Amino acid sequence: MDGSTKADTTATSLTGAEIVLRALVDQGVDTIFGYPGGAVLPIYDAIHAQDAVRHILVRHEQGAGHMAEGYARSTGKCGVVLVTSGPGATNMVTPIADALMDSIPMVVITGQVPTHLIGSDAFQECDTVGITRACAKHNYLVKDVTQLARIMHEAFYVATTGRPGPVVVDIPKNVQFAKGAYVGPDAIQHRTYSPRTEPNDRRIEEAVDLLARAERPVIYSGGGVINSGPAASAALRALAKATGFPVTSTLMGLGAFPASDPQWLGMLGMHGSFEANNAMHDCDVMLCVGARFDDRVTGRLDAFSPASKKIHIDIDPSSINKNVRVDVPIVADCARALEALGAAWARRRLRRPSLKVWWSEIDAWRARRSFAFPPSTKVIKPQYAIERLYQLTRDRDVYITTEVGQHQMWAAQHFHFEAPNRWMTSGGLGTMGYGLPAAIGVQAAHRDALVIDIAGDASVQMTMQEMSTAVQYGLPVKIFILNNQWMGMVRQWQQLLHGERYSQSYSESLPDFVKLAEAYGGHGIMCDDPAKLDDAIREMVATPKPVLFDCRVEQAENCFPMIPSGAAHNEMILGDISGDEVSDAGRVLV
Amino acid sequence: MTRAPRTRARPARAAVKDDPASAYDMTEVAEEIESRTLACIVDNEPGVLARVVGLFSARGYNIESLTVAETDRNAHSSRITIVTSGTDHVLEQIEQQLLRLVPVARVIDVTNSTGGIERELALVKVAGVGEKRVEALRLSEIFRARVIDTTNESFIFEVTGASQKIDQFIELMRPLGLVELSRTGVLSIQRGKEGVG
């Protein structure tokens, strides 16, 4: 930097708090989620003095974190959170860990006690950078106001590039008051951090060699395709079209490939479809795009897709060969790599192979209809509730979030997505209580959309207080609770794996969700009759304010199909549609 | 409940019934463990050592020795030399996970067997009189250890070399009155004219 530019940038001297706000504006941030406290009051003062950045006041810091995640995942932008020191920061630990596991770009600004008090066990002091070091992509403690602007911009750069993730910026109160120069976001260059995005040409050719010879190929796509942006989904669709290969996806990747496409096999993994898991097991060439061979996906590792050559596209080199050895590693941004594969396929004038034998095998697996469930006229089946929810909202601009458990898996199985960024769920960390605040974050970004949190009665109570936030900001999220009065997934594992000893998994003393909704100023609906379900869902969709929908469902329903622990993809347990054996066994114990 | 019929490639092990009930795969595999010396060039910012050490504990990797010092004041960079051990797969992961840390610029394999030269320095205090004292001094000459402090009843030796040489020296000093020991841990650098900064 020469002398003149230096003079220009130092011309404006701002307080640390003003630098934070200015940096947010320059980073294109329009909404932040937060909660004030002693150590961030100067920044809240700066918020008070401007209109460019909207602040959404939450009821608990964890809520702010998940809102920012929902906002980020539905827009492709970076989520931003502002919380105070001590408990404000520790309450953010769960969403930070959640965002790290699911690769969600997020910048978390935390207040800290003044620098001269750091280490003295001051009021509301905690070692925020120490605590978040292990669960954030990166973090900073800003001890000098002259570094603040650079660090703010660097935080956004690190959070949004490469494999996205949460970055924490811890700012002591005296640094927020101190005056310093502001520098703009341009020319952010990191000395040691420069993620690779362009694929290696030779690897692309090796991959196409494999794909061109494949007789039983499968494309296994993941959350990385969503993170990479709309271009990656478009490139995935184009490649699938050019090759005619079947496509499956992880929980995190739903929506990147349209569920209505005949090449779509449904989700794979522990509760994935029979055809997707068997195709994974029996394939001869696997193209893994932006997925990480998670243990919920692979099942038993030594029996995972034993006969296949594997191509793995990932922007994070450490994901490659982490759980599963691959034959062709491609370190790159998903969009760039998929485009390069498509281009190489076209350049070699490769035709779409017929794959007749392979598709007939897949069709045979499909014919097992592994997501089918026994219908009932007496009680609402949870799968039926999701199916109706899907059918009755198909013509709307819909975004779905979930909590964690059985309802999450049923939502993934029975709600179908045509576009990316429409499905927000806590896949890696599995955070109960994610869905309600995430829905609020989504709604804050998409005012006119229909945002539904498909929830469970246990999960939803973990962050229920954010109903108050939804009401305050007029964010009409729909909380669709599949209420079976159990921690359903815990109950299911206890039934199948722990000798039906239902230890602490029954939801005693559930609140009256209708009254609860009304107490918050929202609207409550209860439905326990399959015949009335459609009307109740229509009522929910038509209500212009936050709704708690208490959908009373079959209590003992289990989530099938399922790959049991330590089993391979082709050892799936299917729910028996005719026998109803599991439900009976469960019902006895309810 | 029905179990889907098996198709094609049968896994080597039979059903899951024998395993403890768990939603996780509990199988453990025994593989050969080897040792590796890695040099990490890092941005010398606060907390960088904690990040590196935290990564090892968080992911269950071993640290056998670790040394760190600033190597370029102007460039603000430090070199951390870590001796670790694990299976081939784990060692590859360690390298990749280290590179994932934002302030880590480079990771170089400087293991002895791959052309690295490893050295360690130890300060060894030996107390004794008479025959043992003479023997300690005689042995120190064989190891080219230097005497850097002496009293009528003690020596402090400074000895450098590969870790095994230092181990040997220490074992010989033990019966001769070794009372205190301080080691630097391994430093390593690649042979040849190429430099890494």
Side-chain angles (χ1 to χ4, degrees), chain A residues 133 139 191-192 216 274 281-282 296 300 316-318 321-322 325 361 368 493 497 565-566 570-572 574, chain B residues 2 4-9 11 13 16 21-24 43 50-51 75 89 92-93 96 100 102-103 105:
Chain A
R133 196 174 284 131
N139 62 17
R191 277 169 28 79
T192 54
R216 321 160 61 75
F274 190 64
H281 188 269
D282 284 2
R296 302 290 103 161
R300 211 175 89 212
D316 176 4
S318 76
N321 289 337
K322 183 172 67 179
R325 278 268 155 207
E361 280 183 66
R368 300 290 298 262
W493 285 359
L497 306 169
S565 65
N570 60 346
E571 298 178 298
M572 284 202 96
L574 295 172
Chain B
T2 52
R6 294 224 183 135
T7 50
R8 220 160 260 119
R13 211 175 34 143
V16 288
S22 166
Y24 294 90
D43 226 7
R51 279 182 218 285
H89 173 237
E92 186 187 323
Q93 266 295 301
Q96 294 302 329
R100 237 179 125 192
V102 169

Tab-separated table of all heavy atoms in Angstrom, chain A residues 133 139 191-192 216 274 281-282 296 300 316-318 321-322 325 361 368 493 497 565-566 570-572 574, chain B residues 2 4-9 11 13 16 21-24 43 50-51 75 89 92-93 96 100 102-103 105:
chain	number	residue	atom	x	y	z
A	133	ARG	N	-13.037	-22.105	19.873
A	133	ARG	CA	-11.957	-22.512	18.963
A	133	ARG	C	-12.261	-23.849	18.303
A	133	ARG	O	-12.064	-24.032	17.110
A	133	ARG	CB	-10.638	-22.585	19.738
A	133	ARG	CG	-9.410	-22.622	18.852
A	133	ARG	CD	-8.148	-22.558	19.681
A	133	ARG	NE	-7.881	-21.231	20.181
A	133	ARG	CZ	-7.580	-20.941	21.449
A	133	ARG	NH1	-7.503	-21.900	22.345
A	133	ARG	NH2	-7.355	-19.704	21.818
A	139	ASN	N	-11.650	-17.997	14.629
A	139	ASN	CA	-12.123	-16.938	15.518
A	139	ASN	C	-11.033	-15.917	15.802
A	139	ASN	O	-9.855	-16.162	15.553
A	139	ASN	CB	-12.743	-17.510	16.798
A	139	ASN	CG	-11.753	-18.315	17.625
A	139	ASN	OD1	-10.545	-18.225	17.447
A	139	ASN	ND2	-12.273	-19.110	18.545
A	191	ARG	N	-3.031	-14.245	4.188
A	191	ARG	CA	-1.667	-14.745	3.988
A	191	ARG	C	-1.616	-16.266	3.875
A	191	ARG	O	-0.870	-16.816	3.088
A	191	ARG	CB	-0.788	-14.299	5.163
A	191	ARG	CG	-0.248	-12.885	5.007
A	191	ARG	CD	0.374	-12.376	6.283
A	191	ARG	NE	0.921	-13.422	7.145
A	191	ARG	CZ	2.097	-14.018	6.951
A	191	ARG	NH1	2.849	-13.672	5.944
A	191	ARG	NH2	2.510	-14.954	7.769
A	192	THR	N	-2.389	-16.925	4.693
A	192	THR	CA	-2.263	-18.378	4.733
A	192	THR	C	-3.499	-19.104	4.221
A	192	THR	O	-3.430	-20.289	3.935
A	192	THR	CB	-2.018	-18.858	6.181
A	192	THR	OG1	-3.047	-18.325	7.004
A	192	THR	CG2	-0.682	-18.386	6.687
A	216	ARG	N	-23.137	-49.293	-14.054
A	216	ARG	CA	-24.058	-49.197	-12.924
A	216	ARG	C	-23.694	-47.963	-12.106
A	216	ARG	O	-23.354	-48.048	-10.941
A	216	ARG	CB	-23.933	-50.463	-12.061
A	216	ARG	CG	-23.758	-51.735	-12.885
A	216	ARG	CD	-23.173	-52.888	-12.101
A	216	ARG	NE	-24.030	-53.234	-11.001
A	216	ARG	CZ	-25.164	-53.890	-11.136
A	216	ARG	NH1	-25.550	-54.275	-12.331
A	216	ARG	NH2	-25.892	-54.160	-10.105
A	274	PHE	N	-34.946	-47.479	-0.246
A	274	PHE	CA	-34.407	-48.805	-0.552
A	274	PHE	C	-33.618	-48.755	-1.857
A	274	PHE	O	-32.513	-49.292	-1.960
A	274	PHE	CB	-35.587	-49.778	-0.648
A	274	PHE	CG	-35.202	-51.223	-0.732
A	274	PHE	CD1	-34.544	-51.846	0.316
A	274	PHE	CD2	-35.535	-51.975	-1.849
A	274	PHE	CE1	-34.207	-53.195	0.242
A	274	PHE	CE2	-35.205	-53.321	-1.928
A	274	PHE	CZ	-34.537	-53.931	-0.886
A	281	HIS	N	-24.960	-49.428	-2.964
A	281	HIS	CA	-24.238	-50.656	-2.624
A	281	HIS	C	-23.756	-51.404	-3.858
A	281	HIS	O	-22.650	-51.946	-3.872
A	281	HIS	CB	-25.125	-51.574	-1.781
A	281	HIS	CG	-24.396	-52.754	-1.228
A	281	HIS	ND1	-24.309	-53.954	-1.887
A	281	HIS	CD2	-23.678	-52.908	-0.089
A	281	HIS	CE1	-23.588	-54.801	-1.182
A	281	HIS	NE2	-23.188	-54.193	-0.090
A	282	ASP	N	-24.575	-51.415	-4.894
A	282	ASP	CA	-24.282	-52.258	-6.052
A	282	ASP	C	-23.641	-51.521	-7.224
A	282	ASP	O	-23.347	-52.121	-8.249
A	282	ASP	CB	-25.574	-52.925	-6.551
A	282	ASP	CG	-25.991	-54.074	-5.647
A	282	ASP	OD1	-25.289	-54.293	-4.636
A	282	ASP	OD2	-26.994	-54.734	-5.952
A	296	ARG	N	-24.021	-41.723	8.965
A	296	ARG	CA	-25.446	-41.990	8.731
A	296	ARG	C	-25.698	-42.395	7.278
A	296	ARG	O	-26.758	-42.919	6.950
A	296	ARG	CB	-26.317	-40.750	9.030
A	296	ARG	CG	-26.232	-40.189	10.418
A	296	ARG	CD	-26.860	-41.092	11.437
A	296	ARG	NE	-25.834	-41.804	12.163
A	296	ARG	CZ	-25.995	-42.390	13.339
A	296	ARG	NH1	-27.159	-42.371	13.950
A	296	ARG	NH2	-25.022	-43.015	13.921
A	300	ARG	N	-22.182	-49.535	7.603
A	300	ARG	CA	-20.923	-50.172	7.963
A	300	ARG	C	-19.866	-49.920	6.890
A	300	ARG	O	-20.053	-50.241	5.730
A	300	ARG	CB	-21.145	-51.679	8.133
A	300	ARG	CG	-20.217	-52.264	9.162
A	300	ARG	CD	-20.537	-53.712	9.397
A	300	ARG	NE	-19.800	-54.557	8.491
A	300	ARG	CZ	-20.267	-55.703	8.033
A	300	ARG	NH1	-21.467	-56.106	8.365
A	300	ARG	NH2	-19.526	-56.440	7.244
A	316	ASP	N	-13.143	-29.216	0.431
A	316	ASP	CA	-12.318	-29.396	1.626
A	316	ASP	C	-11.444	-30.644	1.450
A	316	ASP	O	-11.954	-31.759	1.493
A	316	ASP	CB	-13.248	-29.550	2.838
A	316	ASP	CG	-12.485	-29.848	4.114
A	316	ASP	OD1	-11.245	-29.870	4.078
A	316	ASP	OD2	-13.140	-30.053	5.156
A	317	PRO	N	-10.131	-30.448	1.245
A	317	PRO	CA	-9.272	-31.615	0.992
A	317	PRO	C	-9.322	-32.635	2.129
A	317	PRO	O	-9.129	-33.825	1.902
A	317	PRO	CB	-7.867	-31.019	0.873
A	317	PRO	CG	-8.059	-29.568	0.640
A	317	PRO	CD	-9.378	-29.189	1.236
A	318	SER	N	-9.615	-32.188	3.352
A	318	SER	CA	-9.607	-33.132	4.473
A	318	SER	C	-10.817	-34.063	4.427
A	318	SER	O	-10.854	-35.073	5.119
A	318	SER	CB	-9.555	-32.388	5.810
A	318	SER	OG	-10.802	-31.843	6.133
A	321	ASN	N	-10.898	-39.026	1.378
A	321	ASN	CA	-10.237	-40.165	2.041
A	321	ASN	C	-10.362	-40.129	3.557
A	321	ASN	O	-9.615	-40.787	4.258
A	321	ASN	CB	-8.747	-40.246	1.669
A	321	ASN	CG	-8.548	-40.674	0.239
A	321	ASN	OD1	-9.434	-41.300	-0.343
A	321	ASN	ND2	-7.412	-40.332	-0.327
A	322	LYS	N	-11.276	-39.332	4.100
A	322	LYS	CA	-11.430	-39.268	5.556
A	322	LYS	C	-12.087	-40.547	6.073
A	322	LYS	O	-11.568	-41.193	6.974
A	322	LYS	CB	-12.253	-38.045	5.969
A	322	LYS	CG	-12.382	-37.904	7.488
A	322	LYS	CD	-13.021	-36.592	7.885
A	322	LYS	CE	-14.474	-36.533	7.453
A	322	LYS	NZ	-15.112	-35.269	7.842
A	325	ARG	N	-11.993	-44.506	1.222
A	325	ARG	CA	-10.948	-44.331	0.207
A	325	ARG	C	-11.593	-44.083	-1.151
A	325	ARG	O	-12.493	-44.821	-1.531
A	325	ARG	CB	-10.104	-45.601	0.109
A	325	ARG	CG	-9.046	-45.708	1.149
A	325	ARG	CD	-7.733	-45.125	0.640
A	325	ARG	NE	-6.937	-44.709	1.777
A	325	ARG	CZ	-6.025	-43.738	1.744
A	325	ARG	NH1	-5.788	-43.079	0.632
A	325	ARG	NH2	-5.363	-43.416	2.802
A	361	GLU	N	-32.954	-53.018	-12.593
A	361	GLU	CA	-32.697	-53.398	-11.194
A	361	GLU	C	-33.217	-52.319	-10.238
A	361	GLU	O	-33.839	-52.607	-9.224
A	361	GLU	CB	-31.191	-53.583	-10.967
A	361	GLU	CG	-30.671	-54.908	-11.437
A	361	GLU	CD	-29.188	-55.064	-11.108
A	361	GLU	OE1	-28.851	-55.132	-9.920
A	361	GLU	OE2	-28.386	-55.103	-12.064
A	368	ARG	N	-40.483	-51.881	-4.381
A	368	ARG	CA	-40.708	-52.227	-2.976
A	368	ARG	C	-41.396	-51.092	-2.216
A	368	ARG	O	-41.834	-51.269	-1.087
A	368	ARG	CB	-39.378	-52.553	-2.287
A	368	ARG	CG	-38.639	-53.705	-2.903
A	368	ARG	CD	-39.349	-55.020	-2.643
A	368	ARG	NE	-39.432	-55.302	-1.233
A	368	ARG	CZ	-38.596	-56.102	-0.578
A	368	ARG	NH1	-37.627	-56.710	-1.233
A	368	ARG	NH2	-38.728	-56.297	0.710
A	493	TRP	N	-35.330	-46.216	18.933
A	493	TRP	CA	-34.058	-46.900	19.203
A	493	TRP	C	-34.167	-47.746	20.465
A	493	TRP	O	-33.611	-48.837	20.552
A	493	TRP	CB	-32.903	-45.895	19.329
A	493	TRP	CG	-32.464	-45.328	17.999
A	493	TRP	CD1	-32.981	-45.643	16.781
A	493	TRP	CD2	-31.439	-44.365	17.768
A	493	TRP	NE1	-32.334	-44.930	15.810
A	493	TRP	CE2	-31.380	-44.132	16.379
A	493	TRP	CE3	-30.561	-43.669	18.601
A	493	TRP	CZ2	-30.484	-43.243	15.806
A	493	TRP	CZ3	-29.656	-42.787	18.022
A	493	TRP	CH2	-29.627	-42.575	16.642
A	497	LEU	N	-33.351	-51.378	19.878
A	497	LEU	CA	-31.973	-51.665	20.296
A	497	LEU	C	-31.810	-51.874	21.795
A	497	LEU	O	-30.784	-52.354	22.236
A	497	LEU	CB	-31.036	-50.533	19.862
A	497	LEU	CG	-31.035	-50.147	18.374
A	497	LEU	CD1	-30.276	-48.857	18.164
A	497	LEU	CD2	-30.415	-51.254	17.540
A	565	SER	N	-27.705	-50.406	13.008
A	565	SER	CA	-26.311	-50.126	13.326
A	565	SER	C	-25.412	-51.235	12.825
A	565	SER	O	-25.767	-52.402	12.870
A	565	SER	CB	-26.139	-50.010	14.830
A	565	SER	OG	-26.414	-51.257	15.415
A	566	GLY	N	-24.250	-50.847	12.335
A	566	GLY	CA	-23.261	-51.826	11.912
A	566	GLY	C	-23.721	-52.696	10.764
A	566	GLY	O	-23.231	-53.799	10.584
A	570	ASN	N	-27.280	-52.840	1.873
A	570	ASN	CA	-28.244	-53.809	1.330
A	570	ASN	C	-28.850	-54.676	2.434
A	570	ASN	O	-29.420	-55.700	2.171
A	570	ASN	CB	-27.568	-54.679	0.260
A	570	ASN	CG	-26.389	-55.452	0.813
A	570	ASN	OD1	-25.923	-55.151	1.908
A	570	ASN	ND2	-25.919	-56.436	0.075
A	571	GLU	N	-28.678	-54.249	3.681
A	571	GLU	CA	-29.307	-54.986	4.784
A	571	GLU	C	-30.383	-54.132	5.454
A	571	GLU	O	-30.559	-54.188	6.662
A	571	GLU	CB	-28.238	-55.381	5.817
A	571	GLU	CG	-27.169	-56.289	5.269
A	571	GLU	CD	-26.100	-56.619	6.314
A	571	GLU	OE1	-25.422	-55.704	6.784
A	571	GLU	OE2	-25.977	-57.801	6.654
A	572	MET	N	-31.040	-53.316	4.653
A	572	MET	CA	-32.061	-52.420	5.213
A	572	MET	C	-33.229	-53.187	5.805
A	572	MET	O	-33.635	-54.215	5.273
A	572	MET	CB	-32.638	-51.532	4.105
A	572	MET	CG	-31.758	-50.409	3.664
A	572	MET	SD	-32.754	-49.115	2.877
A	572	MET	CE	-33.015	-48.002	4.235
A	574	LEU	N	-37.130	-53.030	6.231
A	574	LEU	CA	-38.285	-52.324	5.676
A	574	LEU	C	-39.438	-52.418	6.666
A	574	LEU	O	-39.601	-53.430	7.331
A	574	LEU	CB	-38.697	-52.958	4.347
A	574	LEU	CG	-37.688	-52.838	3.206
A	574	LEU	CD1	-38.132	-53.675	2.037
A	574	LEU	CD2	-37.525	-51.391	2.797
B	2	THR	N	-39.830	-56.958	8.080
B	2	THR	CA	-39.208	-57.905	7.165
B	2	THR	C	-37.821	-57.410	6.824
B	2	THR	O	-37.578	-56.211	6.795
B	2	THR	CB	-40.001	-58.007	5.843
B	2	THR	OG1	-40.173	-56.698	5.339
B	2	THR	CG2	-41.335	-58.673	6.048
B	4	ALA	N	-34.964	-57.082	4.077
B	4	ALA	CA	-34.864	-57.111	2.626
B	4	ALA	C	-33.895	-58.201	2.209
B	4	ALA	O	-32.911	-58.441	2.888
B	4	ALA	CB	-34.357	-55.772	2.125
B	5	PRO	N	-34.201	-58.867	1.089
B	5	PRO	CA	-33.281	-59.920	0.652
B	5	PRO	C	-31.939	-59.316	0.267
B	5	PRO	O	-31.880	-58.204	-0.245
B	5	PRO	CB	-33.996	-60.527	-0.549
B	5	PRO	CG	-34.904	-59.457	-1.047
B	5	PRO	CD	-35.295	-58.646	0.141
B	6	ARG	N	-30.886	-60.046	0.527
B	6	ARG	CA	-29.550	-59.547	0.168
B	6	ARG	C	-29.349	-59.623	-1.331
B	6	ARG	O	-29.777	-60.567	-1.967
B	6	ARG	CB	-28.506	-60.416	0.843
B	6	ARG	CG	-28.547	-60.270	2.325
B	6	ARG	CD	-27.164	-60.149	2.839
B	6	ARG	NE	-27.201	-60.074	4.290
B	6	ARG	CZ	-26.388	-60.774	5.044
B	6	ARG	NH1	-25.521	-61.591	4.477
B	6	ARG	NH2	-26.417	-60.645	6.334
B	7	THR	N	-28.691	-58.663	-1.840
B	7	THR	CA	-28.349	-58.703	-3.254
B	7	THR	C	-26.849	-58.608	-3.368
B	7	THR	O	-26.210	-57.909	-2.604
B	7	THR	CB	-28.971	-57.507	-3.992
B	7	THR	OG1	-28.650	-56.343	-3.269
B	7	THR	CG2	-30.450	-57.654	-4.131
B	8	ARG	N	-26.323	-59.293	-4.326
B	8	ARG	CA	-24.894	-59.208	-4.682
B	8	ARG	C	-23.932	-59.206	-3.485
B	8	ARG	O	-24.284	-59.617	-2.387
B	8	ARG	CB	-24.659	-57.977	-5.532
B	8	ARG	CG	-23.693	-58.280	-6.647
B	8	ARG	CD	-23.767	-57.297	-7.781
B	8	ARG	NE	-24.552	-57.842	-8.877
B	8	ARG	CZ	-25.643	-57.302	-9.329
B	8	ARG	NH1	-26.111	-56.224	-8.784
B	8	ARG	NH2	-26.268	-57.824	-10.332
B	9	ALA	N	-22.754	-58.631	-3.720
B	9	ALA	CA	-21.639	-58.679	-2.770
B	9	ALA	C	-22.041	-58.746	-1.296
B	9	ALA	O	-22.419	-57.762	-0.686
B	9	ALA	CB	-20.760	-57.451	-3.009
B	11	PRO	N	-21.416	-58.862	2.539
B	11	PRO	CA	-20.344	-58.389	3.418
B	11	PRO	C	-19.690	-59.552	4.156
B	11	PRO	O	-20.306	-60.607	4.346
B	11	PRO	CB	-21.058	-57.463	4.396
B	11	PRO	CG	-22.502	-57.789	4.280
B	11	PRO	CD	-22.729	-58.404	2.942
B	13	ARG	N	-18.825	-60.037	7.237
B	13	ARG	CA	-19.279	-60.416	8.563
B	13	ARG	C	-20.787	-60.620	8.561
B	13	ARG	O	-21.499	-59.891	7.882
B	13	ARG	CB	-18.914	-59.303	9.529
B	13	ARG	CG	-18.619	-59.784	10.925
B	13	ARG	CD	-18.172	-58.587	11.711
B	13	ARG	NE	-18.902	-57.399	11.242
B	13	ARG	CZ	-19.313	-56.440	12.032
B	13	ARG	NH1	-19.089	-56.504	13.317
B	13	ARG	NH2	-19.954	-55.395	11.552
B	16	VAL	N	-25.926	-58.273	12.538
B	16	VAL	CA	-25.482	-57.272	13.503
B	16	VAL	C	-25.799	-57.680	14.933
B	16	VAL	O	-25.501	-56.961	15.860
B	16	VAL	CB	-26.153	-55.920	13.220
B	16	VAL	CG1	-25.571	-55.321	11.980
B	16	VAL	CG2	-27.647	-56.076	13.106
B	21	ALA	N	-25.833	-52.957	21.305
B	21	ALA	CA	-26.903	-52.163	20.714
B	21	ALA	C	-26.461	-50.712	20.621
B	21	ALA	O	-26.162	-50.090	21.629
B	21	ALA	CB	-28.148	-52.280	21.581
B	22	SER	N	-26.396	-50.210	19.427
B	22	SER	CA	-25.951	-48.837	19.259
B	22	SER	C	-26.392	-48.320	17.908
B	22	SER	O	-26.558	-49.084	16.966
B	22	SER	CB	-24.432	-48.755	19.338
B	22	SER	OG	-24.005	-47.500	18.869
B	23	ALA	N	-26.585	-47.015	17.835
B	23	ALA	CA	-26.906	-46.414	16.558
B	23	ALA	C	-25.630	-46.064	15.800
B	23	ALA	O	-25.665	-45.496	14.739
B	23	ALA	CB	-27.754	-45.183	16.756
B	24	TYR	N	-24.488	-46.366	16.390
B	24	TYR	CA	-23.210	-46.114	15.728
B	24	TYR	C	-22.531	-47.424	15.404
B	24	TYR	O	-22.744	-48.432	16.068
B	24	TYR	CB	-22.285	-45.288	16.630
B	24	TYR	CG	-22.788	-43.907	16.873
B	24	TYR	CD1	-23.624	-43.640	17.950
B	24	TYR	CD2	-22.446	-42.871	16.017
B	24	TYR	CE1	-24.104	-42.371	18.168
B	24	TYR	CE2	-22.915	-41.591	16.223
B	24	TYR	CZ	-23.748	-41.341	17.305
B	24	TYR	OH	-24.224	-40.090	17.510
B	43	ASP	N	1.099	-18.754	10.711
B	43	ASP	CA	1.061	-17.333	11.003
B	43	ASP	C	1.211	-17.197	12.520
B	43	ASP	O	0.461	-17.819	13.264
B	43	ASP	CB	-0.322	-16.801	10.584
B	43	ASP	CG	-0.201	-15.536	9.801
B	43	ASP	OD1	0.930	-15.147	9.480
B	43	ASP	OD2	-1.251	-14.927	9.507
B	50	ALA	N	-2.562	-23.128	20.353
B	50	ALA	CA	-3.746	-23.765	20.946
B	50	ALA	C	-4.591	-24.425	19.867
B	50	ALA	O	-5.166	-25.489	20.077
B	50	ALA	CB	-4.565	-22.736	21.711
B	51	ARG	N	-4.697	-23.778	18.702
B	51	ARG	CA	-5.471	-24.377	17.606
B	51	ARG	C	-4.867	-25.702	17.173
B	51	ARG	O	-5.580	-26.688	16.959
B	51	ARG	CB	-5.477	-23.440	16.389
B	51	ARG	CG	-6.472	-22.333	16.480
B	51	ARG	CD	-6.447	-21.481	15.216
B	51	ARG	NE	-6.641	-20.094	15.576
B	51	ARG	CZ	-7.810	-19.583	15.924
B	51	ARG	NH1	-8.887	-20.335	15.939
B	51	ARG	NH2	-7.913	-18.321	16.265
B	75	ALA	N	8.062	-11.717	8.593
B	75	ALA	CA	6.917	-12.377	7.954
B	75	ALA	C	5.923	-12.863	8.996
B	75	ALA	O	4.866	-13.377	8.660
B	75	ALA	CB	7.388	-13.544	7.112
B	89	HIS	N	-3.594	-43.851	7.186
B	89	HIS	CA	-4.808	-43.085	6.941
B	89	HIS	C	-4.924	-41.919	7.923
B	89	HIS	O	-5.232	-40.788	7.542
B	89	HIS	CB	-6.007	-44.037	7.055
B	89	HIS	CG	-7.319	-43.351	6.993
B	89	HIS	ND1	-8.253	-43.465	7.995
B	89	HIS	CD2	-7.853	-42.522	6.079
B	89	HIS	CE1	-9.305	-42.740	7.674
B	89	HIS	NE2	-9.094	-42.156	6.518
B	92	GLU	N	-2.415	-39.140	7.122
B	92	GLU	CA	-2.858	-38.318	5.987
B	92	GLU	C	-3.914	-37.315	6.453
B	92	GLU	O	-3.904	-36.148	6.068
B	92	GLU	CB	-3.433	-39.238	4.906
B	92	GLU	CG	-3.792	-38.514	3.628
B	92	GLU	CD	-4.522	-39.414	2.630
B	92	GLU	OE1	-4.174	-40.604	2.543
B	92	GLU	OE2	-5.445	-38.910	1.960
B	93	GLN	N	-4.820	-37.801	7.307
B	93	GLN	CA	-5.856	-36.916	7.843
B	93	GLN	C	-5.240	-35.793	8.681
B	93	GLN	O	-5.669	-34.649	8.596
B	93	GLN	CB	-6.833	-37.724	8.713
B	93	GLN	CG	-8.044	-38.206	7.958
B	93	GLN	CD	-8.923	-37.065	7.486
B	93	GLN	OE1	-9.417	-36.263	8.263
B	93	GLN	NE2	-9.101	-36.967	6.189
B	96	GLN	N	-4.056	-33.101	6.449
B	96	GLN	CA	-5.160	-32.349	5.834
B	96	GLN	C	-5.896	-31.503	6.860
B	96	GLN	O	-6.312	-30.376	6.574
B	96	GLN	CB	-6.139	-33.302	5.141
B	96	GLN	CG	-5.556	-34.026	3.946
B	96	GLN	CD	-5.033	-33.069	2.892
B	96	GLN	OE1	-5.545	-31.964	2.730
B	96	GLN	NE2	-3.988	-33.471	2.199
B	100	ARG	N	-6.376	-27.316	7.186
B	100	ARG	CA	-7.696	-26.692	7.264
B	100	ARG	C	-7.697	-25.505	8.217
B	100	ARG	O	-8.553	-24.643	8.125
B	100	ARG	CB	-8.670	-27.738	7.809
B	100	ARG	CG	-9.833	-28.006	6.934
B	100	ARG	CD	-10.671	-29.063	7.594
B	100	ARG	NE	-12.026	-28.591	7.741
B	100	ARG	CZ	-12.935	-29.185	8.483
B	100	ARG	NH1	-12.628	-30.260	9.163
B	100	ARG	NH2	-14.153	-28.712	8.554
B	102	VAL	N	-7.043	-22.071	9.603
B	102	VAL	CA	-6.851	-20.844	8.825
B	102	VAL	C	-5.415	-20.308	8.907
B	102	VAL	O	-4.843	-19.932	7.881
B	102	VAL	CB	-7.910	-19.795	9.228
B	102	VAL	CG1	-7.586	-18.429	8.639
B	102	VAL	CG2	-9.296	-20.253	8.773
B	103	PRO	N	-4.763	-20.244	10.093
B	103	PRO	CA	-3.412	-19.671	10.121
B	103	PRO	C	-2.294	-20.626	9.715
B	103	PRO	O	-1.128	-20.235	9.779
B	103	PRO	CB	-3.237	-19.230	11.584
B	103	PRO	CG	-4.310	-19.888	12.358
B	103	PRO	CD	-5.282	-20.533	11.444
B	105	ALA	N	-0.036	-22.225	7.075
B	105	ALA	CA	0.309	-21.956	5.677
B	105	ALA	C	0.753	-23.218	4.954
B	105	ALA	O	0.369	-23.474	3.826
B	105	ALA	CB	1.406	-20.908	5.594
